[in-house]
């Protein structure tokens, strides 16, 4: 057989559609492997996954993985993407054809959206996924009958084993060559009134067919491609035709079910459910009111331990690698600003980015494993009621818990929360949970606040104080969530889909691709911002007005000579004087009046500024300022700080009031540029990282102010 070979200008675009959890991503991964990239749907924060497939007949096909959807009546922003892309033939994401993935073991539910897609008139293939499960359960599916009834090609598939992928590619090729396109026959019979309305709307939306026009009538209020004038026209039309959207929606849905339910019955035989009963047995325990949450915390404890202990080794390696290569560059290149920029600015910045990879990779490895197995849906279900009370989502619990290791992977894990408002609130409050970077700061400061004493014969007072700081973070996070719940507006309805998938062994390909995607987006997208900020911070801390820097150096050298210091001590003295004379030092002095009421002097001011790179930098900066040099030991820094006296009053600077105030500041303040960079990436705007920075800094400032003023 012959067909015309036309030069392909635009790649043939195929949409991958289906209900949530139908196995869409698995099939996407099977079809595209690593030929994936992540884009963006216009105007929203939903990721668009694109993949390329090359078919036997040299056709390049572009695949778009759309968010999972139950029907064209969306309940979340993710689902709206599907409607807005498909109701408008001129949308940039309007595909040339679609592959509809249905979970064959749940056909009675999954065909609703398919029949709606049929009415769009797109060339369509039905892929019956999870055929391996169906087979195990002794379920026979008659694809031929289904194909005849639905009038589209039907392929049996397994996203797990790869069974049927070649058959699917073959059908896709047929579609590309235009051999399989059958004329649309509407599944839904419009009422006379709906028909008149839809005909009228067709004149307003160019290229729309009758069903698309009806969808526009249902969703015109939010559909982004309509102008205000068009909205007004449509709203008038709806009024004149007496269109009742809810009634129409119910009618349509009922009619569709009535049509396809017999088809499903006809093509399925012998349903016996073995895995379902295993799932039910497991769920008695895992979703039990008391045992469920306890087991969940045990699981999370393990995850959390893994991040802490396993990640420590590769993190050390990465840090050592960058320390060694920094020294190597320093000894190879001639001394000068360029070498400094390369080592202290860029290499340090790069190290600061890459050091997060182990935590991100481990967290996502474990979380997507739990997701794959089917457990995460249970966890979300267990905590949903509680979390909803704070404006959060059952799935937020994972982010909140894992951010006690690090907020960055935690924020990236909120991608599974489909309600935008709940996801945003989770992102905004997550960094309030004390992360591991706060530990060194707490260690240095806690000694100034509480003595190391055993109370009640068992607890160390400092340990209790540590726990108190963590609790404070948790309470602050929940209360802030509550405030955001009241402030932020949304049109999305919030409810959890209580469809719990069956437990099944994980597909490693999916797990590893998730890890890869998370690491890659962090390094490329957040990494660039982190790099830029670290170079700026480096400039601030190592440069100053040239005269002042020179003077500081001379003074330090003179002083060192007078005191007969050795070489390292002299270098430390110079570093201390120079950071004081640097722009960061100047900034520290500039902000001193603002932080004076919190009990902070300009030295702490410098540390606050440099801590913006990462909180643990506090200890290093303090070491430089007090000319200690190396910071092998937090306790050296602490001893030095303990000796600091106020030149006027002669009292210790780090008394109870200042230390407690500083501690609180570090509990609440947003001092992590990497987190802000990730928030920018996840919310796709600078607005939310800014909001987060301001509210957390405000919280930190006010609480420190209150404590210092009360105690001093
Ligand atoms: P999505 O939500 O539609 O993207 O679905 P996923 O691809 O994430 O799959 C949901 C779950 O079903 C995962 O645990 C997959 O491992 C599993 N899964 C996907 N396809 C198959 C399949 O064909 N057979 C089996 N047994 N499991 C599958
Ligand atoms: Mg998916």
């Amino acid at each position: 057989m012959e067909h015309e070979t036309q030069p392909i200008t635009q790649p043939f675009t195929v949409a991958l559609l289906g209900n949530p959890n139908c196995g869409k991503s698995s099939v996407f991964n099977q079809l595209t492997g690593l030929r994936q990239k992540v884009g963006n749907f216009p105007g929203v924060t939903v990721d668009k996954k694109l993949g390329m497939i090359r078919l036997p007949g040299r056709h390049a096909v572009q695949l778009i993985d759309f968010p999972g959807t139950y029907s064209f009546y969306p309940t979340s922003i993710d689902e709206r993407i599907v409607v807005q892309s498909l109701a408008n033939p001129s949308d940039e994401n309007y595909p040339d054809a679609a592959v509809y993935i249905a979970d064959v073991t749940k056909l009675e539910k999954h065909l609703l959206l398919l029949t709606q897609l049929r009415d769009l008139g797109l060339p369509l293939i039905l892929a019956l996924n999870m055929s391996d499960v169906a087979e195990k359960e002794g379920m026979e599916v008659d694809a031929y009958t289904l194909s005849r009834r639905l009038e589209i090609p039907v392929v049996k598939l397994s996203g797990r084993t790869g069974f049927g992928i070649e058959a699917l590619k073959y059908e896709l090729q047929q579609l590309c060559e235009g051999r399989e396109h059958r004329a649309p026959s509407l599944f839904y019979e419009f009422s006379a009134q709906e028909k008149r309305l839809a005909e009228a709307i067709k004149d307003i939306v160019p290229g729309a067919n009758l069903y698309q026009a009806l969808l526009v009538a249902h969703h015109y209020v939010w559909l982004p491609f309509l102008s205000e004038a068009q909205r007004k026209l449509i709203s008038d039309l709806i009024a004149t035709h007496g269109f009742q959207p809810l009634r129409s929606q119910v009618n349509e849905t009922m009619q569709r079910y009535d049509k396809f339910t017999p088809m499903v019955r006809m093509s399925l035989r012998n349903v016996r459910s073995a895995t379902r009963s295993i799932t039910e047995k497991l769920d008695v325990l895992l979703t039990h009111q008391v045992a469920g949450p306890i087991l969940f915390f045990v699981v999370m404890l393990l995850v959390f331990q893994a991040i802490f202990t396993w990640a420590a080794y590769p993190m050390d390696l990465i840090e050592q690698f960058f320390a060694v290569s920094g020294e190597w560059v320093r000894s190879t290149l001639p001394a000068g600003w360029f070498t400094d920029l390369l080592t202290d600015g860029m290499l340090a910045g790069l190290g600061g980015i890459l050091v997060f990879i182990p935590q991100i990779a481990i967290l996502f490895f474990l979380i997507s494993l739990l997701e794959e197995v089917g457990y995460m849906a249970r966890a979300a279900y267990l905590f949903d009621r509680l979390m909803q009370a704070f404006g959060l989502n059952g799935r937020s619990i994972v982010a909140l818990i894992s951010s006690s290791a690090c907020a960055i992977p935690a924020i990236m894990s909120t991608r599974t929360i489909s309600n935008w408002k709940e996801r945003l609130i989770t992102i905004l409050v997550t960094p309030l949970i004390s992360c591991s970077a706060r530990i060194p700061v707490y260690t240095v400061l806690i000694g100034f606040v509480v003595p190391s004493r055993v109370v009640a014969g068992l607890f160390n007072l400092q340990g209790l104080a540590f726990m108190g700081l963590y609790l404070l973070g948790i309470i602050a996070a929940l209360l802030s969530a509550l405030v955001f719940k009241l402030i932020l507006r949304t049109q999305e309805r919030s409810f959890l889909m209580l469809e719990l998938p069956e437990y099944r062994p994980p597909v490693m390909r999916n797990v590893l691709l998730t890890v890869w995607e998370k690491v890659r987006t962090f390094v490329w997208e957040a990494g660039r911002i982190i790099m830029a900020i670290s170079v700026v911070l480096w400039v601030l801390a190592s440069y100053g007005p040239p005269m002042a820097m020179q003077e500081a150096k001379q003074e330090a050298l003179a002083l060192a000579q007078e005191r007969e210091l050795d070489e390292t001590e002299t270098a430390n003295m110079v570093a201390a004087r120079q950071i004081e004379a640097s722009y960061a030092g100047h900034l520290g002095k500039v902000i001193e009046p603002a932080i004076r009421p919190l009990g902070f002097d300009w030295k702490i001011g410098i540390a606050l500024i440099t801590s913006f790179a990462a909180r643990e930098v506090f200890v290093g900066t303090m070491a430089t300022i007090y000319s200690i040099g190396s910071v092998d030991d937090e306790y050296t820094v602490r001893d030095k700080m303990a000796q600091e006296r106020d030149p006027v009053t002669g009292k210790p600077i780090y008394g109870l009031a200042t230390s407690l105030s500083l501690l609180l500041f570090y509990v609440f303040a947003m001092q992590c540029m990497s987190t802000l960079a990730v928030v920018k990436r996840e919310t796709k705007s600078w607005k939310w990282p800014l909001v987060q920075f301001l509210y957390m800094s405000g919280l930190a400032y006010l609480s420190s102010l209150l404590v210092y003023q009360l105690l001093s």
Side-chain angles (χ1 to χ4, degrees):
M1 223 187 274
E2 278 180 21
H3 63 272
E4 292 170 59
T5 42
Q6 295 167 337
I8 303 169
T9 44
Q10 280 267 301
F12 193 81
T13 306
V14 175
L16 210 54
L17 293 153
N19 290 17
N21 269 320
C22 63
K24 229 162 24 66
S25 300
S26 304
V27 174
F28 182 78
N29 291 340
Q30 285 278 3
L31 283 170
T32 62
L34 279 174
R35 289 175 307 258
Q36 307 185 355
K37 57 181 192 215
V38 184
N40 236 101
F41 287 104
V44 288
T45 59
V46 182
D47 273 331
K48 176 168 87 175
K49 279 203 176 169
L50 295 171
M52 290 302 286
I53 334 172
R54 202 157 272 284
L55 295 175
R58 281 188 292 123
H59 297 275
V61 168
Q62 171 167 264
L63 210 58
I64 307 183
D65 187 13
F66 275 92
T69 324
Y70 292 100
S71 78
F72 279 160
Y73 296 96
T75 57
S76 70
I77 290 178
D78 286 24
E79 293 192 85
R80 282 185 177 183
I81 296 290
V82 176
V83 180
Q84 80 192 44
S85 309
L86 295 179
N88 172 22
S90 8
D91 188 272
E92 60 169 276
N93 291 309
Y94 195 80
D96 298 304
V99 172
Y100 185 79
I101 314 279
D103 180 344
V104 69
T105 63
K106 299 197 178 114
L107 268 192
E108 328 78 56
K109 275 193 219 147
H110 282 212
L111 287 196
L112 174 62
L113 180 59
L114 176 83
T115 66
Q116 292 181 318
L117 282 171
R118 277 295 275 125
D119 292 358
L120 295 180
L122 274 177
L124 201 57
I125 300 171
L126 170 60
L128 299 174
N129 195 31
M130 314 259 179
S131 307
D132 55 327
V133 183
E135 196 171 309
K136 239 182 256 151
E137 292 183 5
M139 187 172 160
E140 275 171 45
V141 192
D142 182 354
Y144 178 72
T145 304
L146 210 52
S147 167
R148 268 208 357 239
R149 288 306 179 119
L150 292 166
E151 300 178 47
I152 51 171
V154 175
V155 184
K156 287 192 210 175
L157 204 67
S158 167
R160 166 172 302 258
T161 64
F163 165 81
I165 292 292
E166 288 310 313
L168 177 58
K169 282 188 182 167
Y170 173 80
E171 291 296 345
L172 267 176
Q173 190 186 345
Q174 303 293 95
L175 276 194
C176 291
E177 291 170 5
R179 288 184 213 174
E180 271 295 349
H181 191 182
R182 297 177 197 158
S185 60
L186 285 182
F187 260 65
Y188 175 52
E189 280 158 32
F190 284 54
S191 72
Q193 174 218 44
E194 282 169 338
K195 197 161 184 173
R196 280 195 303 271
L197 175 65
E199 291 288 1
I201 290 179
K202 267 173 71 176
D203 295 336
I204 302 176
V205 184
N209 77 359
L210 210 57
Y211 186 54
Q212 281 162 332
L214 184 67
L215 288 176
V216 171
H218 276 289
H219 304 306
Y220 75 98
V221 181
W222 59 265
L223 278 173
F225 58 82
L226 296 173
S227 67
E228 275 317 310
Q230 286 174 319
R231 279 203 187 114
K232 177 81 179 59
L233 279 176
I234 295 169
S235 132
D236 291 347
L237 280 174
I238 285 176
T240 44
H241 286 84
F243 175 65
Q244 291 172 298
L246 193 61
R247 188 138 152 222
S248 159
Q249 177 183 346
V250 171
N251 259 344
E252 182 192 327
T253 311
M254 301 274 280
Q255 218 189 86
R256 289 184 192 278
Y257 269 106
D258 287 348
K259 275 206 177 145
F260 73 71
T261 311
M263 296 183 192
V264 173
R265 300 246 164 90
M266 221 180 297
S267 44
L268 290 187
R269 237 165 295 142
N270 190 15
V271 185
R272 147 172 76 77
S273 171
T275 54
R276 220 157 272 190
S277 66
I278 294 175
T279 294
E280 272 161 22
K281 276 181 201 149
L282 275 174
D283 270 348
V284 170
L285 189 65
L286 293 180
T287 61
H288 186 269
Q289 276 195 345
V290 183
I294 294 176
L295 282 169
F296 172 75
F297 280 112
V298 171
V299 169
M300 284 316 289
L301 199 68
L302 292 177
V303 169
F304 183 48
Q305 277 298 313
I307 304 176
F308 250 126
T309 52
W310 296 350
Y313 303 103
M315 285 171 83
D316 281 349
L317 275 183
I318 292 171
E319 276 172 352
Q320 273 170 23
F321 173 80
F322 277 94
V324 169
S325 33
E327 265 160 41
W328 181 79
V329 171
R330 201 172 276 291
S331 61
T332 317
L333 294 182
W337 69 268
F338 182 71
T339 308
D340 286 345
L341 170 69
L342 215 57
T343 52
D344 295 340
M346 304 190 73
L347 271 179
L350 189 62
I353 297 164
L354 299 188
V355 79
F356 286 112
I357 291 181
Q359 290 185 331
I360 293 175
I362 292 176
L363 182 73
F364 282 103
F365 180 77
L366 295 173
I367 286 192
S368 58
L369 208 60
L370 291 172
E371 186 83 56
E372 275 280 309
V373 170
Y375 181 68
M376 275 310 176
R378 270 81 185 175
Y381 160 78
L382 280 174
F383 291 97
D384 201 55
R385 287 258 305 276
L386 179 69
M387 291 282 119
Q388 292 264 329
F390 293 101
L392 301 167
N393 182 288
R395 288 179 178 270
S396 310
I397 190 98
V398 177
L400 292 182
I401 291 178
S402 38
S403 76
S404 47
C406 178
I408 290 164
I411 285 171
M412 294 171 83
S413 78
T414 60
R415 202 79 69 79
T416 52
I417 301 173
S418 68
N419 181 290
W420 167 239
K421 179 175 167 181
E422 290 166 353
R423 179 168 170 223
L424 182 63
I425 297 180
T426 313
I427 291 176
L428 288 176
V429 305
T430 286
L432 281 172
I433 306 284
S434 287
C435 64
S436 53
R438 285 168 172 103
I439 294 176
V441 184
Y442 291 175
T443 311
V444 169
L445 292 175
I446 231 163
F448 295 120
V449 178
V450 289
S452 175
R453 210 174 58 211
V454 174
V455 289
L458 189 61
F459 301 106
N460 185 306
L461 210 54
Q462 293 190 342
L464 287 180
F466 238 101
M467 206 178 77
L469 293 175
Y470 271 89
L471 266 180
L472 201 60
I474 296 170
I475 294 168
L478 291 179
L479 292 183
S480 312
L482 206 58
V483 172
F484 282 120
K485 178 187 174 183
L486 300 176
I487 296 176
L488 296 175
R489 293 270 145 249
T490 177
Q491 300 171 349
E492 264 181 298
R493 277 172 284 167
S494 165
F495 60 87
L496 189 74
M497 270 294 170
L498 283 184
E499 192 193 354
L500 299 180
E502 258 119 76
Y503 292 108
R504 37 170 94 91
V507 176
M508 274 304 158
R509 182 191 302 104
N510 294 344
V511 175
L512 295 177
L513 278 170
T514 304
V515 171
W516 166 245
E517 194 232 71
K518 297 287 172 187
V519 168
R520 195 186 52 176
T521 39
F522 172 74
V523 172
W524 283 126
E525 301 190 31
R528 282 183 298 204
I529 303 172
I530 300 173
M531 189 61 141
I533 300 178
S534 20
V535 170
V536 170
L537 283 175
W538 168 77
V539 170
L540 287 181
S542 36
Y543 285 90
M547 288 293 287
M549 290 297 273
Q550 201 53 39
E551 256 169 49
K553 191 174 177 183
Q554 299 302 342
E555 264 177 41
L557 288 176
L559 200 64
Q561 217 161 27
E562 193 184 301
R563 295 194 192 162
E564 296 174 359
L565 299 181
D566 69 20
E567 201 176 321
T568 24
E569 284 170 335
T570 307
N572 291 343
M573 177 70 83
V574 171
R577 284 303 163 103
Q578 284 201 319
I579 198 171
E580 182 182 349
S582 72
Y583 293 117
H586 282 272
L587 271 180
K589 286 181 182 159
V590 167
I591 64 171
E592 195 174 18
I595 56 178
R596 198 70 267 179
L598 316 185
F600 305 162
D601 58 8
W602 61 267
K603 295 179 180 175
I604 299 180
I606 297 178
L608 293 186
I609 291 165
T610 58
S611 284
F612 184 66
R615 294 179 179 88
E616 65 270 26
V617 170
F618 173 81
V619 181
T621 306
M622 280 303 184
T624 309
I625 293 174
Y626 292 123
S627 63
I628 296 169
S630 93
V631 272
D632 295 338
D633 183 4
E634 279 127 21
Y635 298 97
T636 333
V637 181
R638 182 153 98 197
D639 291 344
K640 192 81 187 182
M641 284 166 64
Q643 292 160 18
E644 277 291 299
R645 303 280 144 175
D646 187 309
V648 185
T649 61
K651 283 193 197 151
I653 294 212
Y654 295 93
L656 179 67
T658 294
S659 306
L660 195 59
S661 159
L662 196 52
L663 264 180
L664 285 183
F665 197 88
Y666 272 84
V667 171
F668 295 131
M670 179 67 232
Q671 292 163 298
C672 180
M673 60 171 177
S674 311
T675 302
L676 288 175
V678 165
V679 172
K680 149 80 172 58
R681 145 76 200 161
E682 292 296 317
T683 61
K684 308 246 158 87
S685 94
W686 281 108
K687 174 179 171 190
W688 296 113
L690 192 69
V691 166
Q692 185 172 46
F693 180 77
L694 291 179
Y695 102 85
M696 288 178 68
S697 306
L699 195 60
Y701 190 89
L702 289 180
S703 51
S704 292
L705 182 69
L706 194 71
V707 162
Y708 185 75
Q709 295 301 335
L710 283 180
L711 289 183
S712 68

